[in-house]
Amino acid sequence: MHLNTTPATSNSDAGARADDISLDKDILRSQIRPRRLTARSHRGEHGQQQVEELFTAHILEAVAQRVHSPGIIAAYLPTKSEPPIVEALTRLHKDGHRILVPVVRPGRKLAWVHWDPAVEHPLSPMGIPEPEGEEQDERAFVDADLRLIPALAFDAGGHRLGQGGGYYDRIIPLLSAQQLEEQSIGIVFSDEIYEAVPYDQWDAILPVILTEQGIYRTR
């Protein structure tokens, strides 16, 4: 896969100050967010459907390779600008998988709730459906058979740039090396895998990333 070589790095691995790295991250976020919205607008309805079909096919294939019977999948419901994965989740639910999605709770924590595509859910302030029901803690994420993890960008080494809340940086370190390698997949668009992104030492690293072009394994 061709990597995005647009300069997007600080001296994260060379002793840069934490506030410099944070600023570099914010700059990159401020570039990616509007670009996602612009790209969606340019794709139009037909192009968006094609991208959704590609993500659906790749996600279904990835799940089939990793989960050999109906299992528990910790995923998320995307905003309009994020990779369109709802159809994939709907198909997985239809195939018998139990889909868990996060809801934001005080203290910058996530709770995990069962998602049913046939049920209409109230919207969060960001316009994302938030299922209601029994809430589970981070163990639900850790114990899932597969995890689909959102991001704004990754680099070739798997360093993850999130939205800035730190929610996933708190729970990804709870995973074992095997869970990261075999049962966790980062989700971004293909042009959001850079040669390098700014990162702190506590930022999560994922070995496997999925885009509309397929699976990318980090170095």
Side-chain angles (χ1 to χ4, degrees):
M1 180 182 294
H2 176 72
L3 300 182
N4 191 329
T5 56
T6 303
T9 182
S10 68
N11 296 316
S12 301
D13 56 352
R17 294 191 311 169
D19 53 351
D20 291 335
I21 296 173
S22 178
L23 177 60
D24 287 342
K25 288 181 176 181
D26 287 341
I27 291 172
L28 184 53
R29 291 185 183 108
S30 72
Q31 295 169 344
I32 294 174
R33 287 169 177 148
R35 189 174 68 214
R36 280 182 166 184
L37 290 170
T38 300
R40 180 187 171 103
S41 177
H42 287 170
R43 281 194 295 268
E45 184 176 346
H46 180 66
Q48 183 70 8
Q49 182 178 348
Q50 288 182 317
V51 171
E52 182 176 53
E53 290 172 353
L54 290 171
F55 270 106
T56 299
H58 294 316
I59 289 174
L60 293 181
E61 180 180 3
V63 171
Q65 292 174 349
R66 292 164 174 80
V67 185
H68 303 300
S69 60
I72 298 175
I73 299 175
Y76 65 98
L77 299 176
T79 64
K80 290 184 178 180
S81 65
E82 289 181 305
I85 68 168
V86 172
E87 177 59 27
L89 300 182
T90 301
R91 294 271 297 274
L92 291 170
H93 182 275
K94 183 179 179 181
D95 290 342
H97 297 283
R98 182 175 176 85
I99 310 297
L100 299 179
V101 299
V103 294
V104 176
R105 290 297 174 255
R108 292 182 176 269
K109 294 183 178 181
L110 297 177
W112 297 85
V113 182
H114 174 242
W115 175 73
D116 184 339
V119 177
E120 186 173 348
H121 303 290
L123 299 181
S124 73
M126 293 183 63
I128 305 172
E130 283 201 342
E132 297 175 314
E134 180 184 357
E135 296 185 1
Q136 303 178 59
D137 63 15
E138 68 269 8
R139 292 308 310 178
F141 174 85
V142 173
D143 294 338
D145 297 296
L146 185 72
R147 287 157 288 276
L148 303 179
I149 300 173
L152 279 173
F154 287 95
D155 70 12
H159 295 100
R160 174 183 176 273
L161 179 72
Q163 294 284 356
Y167 297 101
Y168 284 90
D169 289 324
R170 291 179 177 86
I171 58 176
I172 291 176
L174 301 176
L175 302 175
S176 68
Q178 181 179 2
Q179 287 174 316
L180 279 172
E181 180 69 37
E182 300 178 5
Q183 300 168 313
S184 304
I185 302 174
I187 307 291
V188 289
F189 292 105
S190 58
D191 63 352
E192 294 166 354
I193 302 179
Y194 292 79
E195 286 284 358
V197 298
Y199 64 88
D200 290 290
Q201 61 181 2
W202 57 80
D203 286 335
I205 298 176
L206 291 181
V208 182
I209 303 167
L210 185 147
T211 78
E212 75 278 13
Q213 294 184 10
I215 288 286
Y216 174 83
R217 294 190 176 275
T218 61
R219 299 169 191 162

